[in-house]
Amino acid sequence: MSTADRIERERLAKRTRILDAARELFVERGIAAVTLREIAQRIEYSTTAIYVQFKDKQDLVDQMVREDFAAFANALHAAAANVADPIERLGRLGDAYVEYALTLPRHYQLLFMTPLDAASDAPEVHEPTGIDGYRVLLETVRECIAAGRFRAELRDADGIAQAIWATVHGVVSLLIVMGDTDAFHWRTPAVIADLALGSLVRGLLADPTAPQRPKRTARPAPRRR
């Protein structure tokens, strides 16, 4: 490995530590309440070390949100790729959503459970990547409608997509926040997500007796806080 390669690898490792610390603090206390100095203290860096990587706090937030939304959207795109049946694709998207959220709970909490606008003078910075994942779901719902897979009166693609999104979000949000509380006797994420999403999709189908999807093949996502 050349000296330049080593320096770049160390820079990226340091950048990742900074972003991980910032993400944890933002989720714990809210973006507006956290300073760069507090982020530096969390990982025993100097504030100057953060300024080497980011212009200011706003730059750090913008880069973090863009990258996390892009990773989320990429996970959904990968799940949907080469799945011709739109009903089966809905199930695959649900699997990918749950796996992303529970494997990277701090990332998920920052994107979908932490207000972003308070930290940004230009919240549209994160909108293109943030909406990209939604479009994967929306296009799948539109295909279901066009193919006559949903009941004839169900024509509002955005409304259906948002109901599906809200259902899966509810599952992962509960598991992220309360998944370690044994008193609830939580079933596995796969079981809960399949019951929630499967019940919703069956209610949408023109023929609810038709198979919705093959048996789940995705590895159940871990519960992590």
Side-chain angles (χ1 to χ4, degrees), residues 30-51:
I31 294 174
V34 176
T35 66
L36 290 183
R37 175 173 293 184
E38 290 170 316
I39 295 169
Q41 289 173 342
R42 172 66 64 98
I43 50 178
E44 300 182 340
Y45 282 2
S46 67
T47 308
T48 301
I50 297 182
Y51 280 113

Side-chain angles (χ1 to χ4, degrees), residues 162-183:
Q162 289 157 20
I164 291 171
W165 182 9
T167 299
V168 183
H169 171 75
V171 170
V172 299
S173 298
L174 278 173
L175 291 175
I176 287 171
V177 175
M178 305 186 73
D180 290 335
T181 304
D182 293 334

Side-chain angles (χ1 to χ4, degrees), residues 23 32 39 98 141 151 154 160 173 177 195 200 209 215:
R23 197 179 285 110
I39 295 169
V98 171
V141 169
R151 301 200 316 266
L154 298 176
I160 295 170
S173 298
V177 175
L195 282 170
L200 174 60
T209 64
K215 289 185 76 68

Side-chain angles (χ1 to χ4, degrees), residues 187-196 216 220:
R187 299 313 186 238
T188 66
V191 167
I192 299 169
D194 282 348
L195 282 170
R216 180 190 178 97

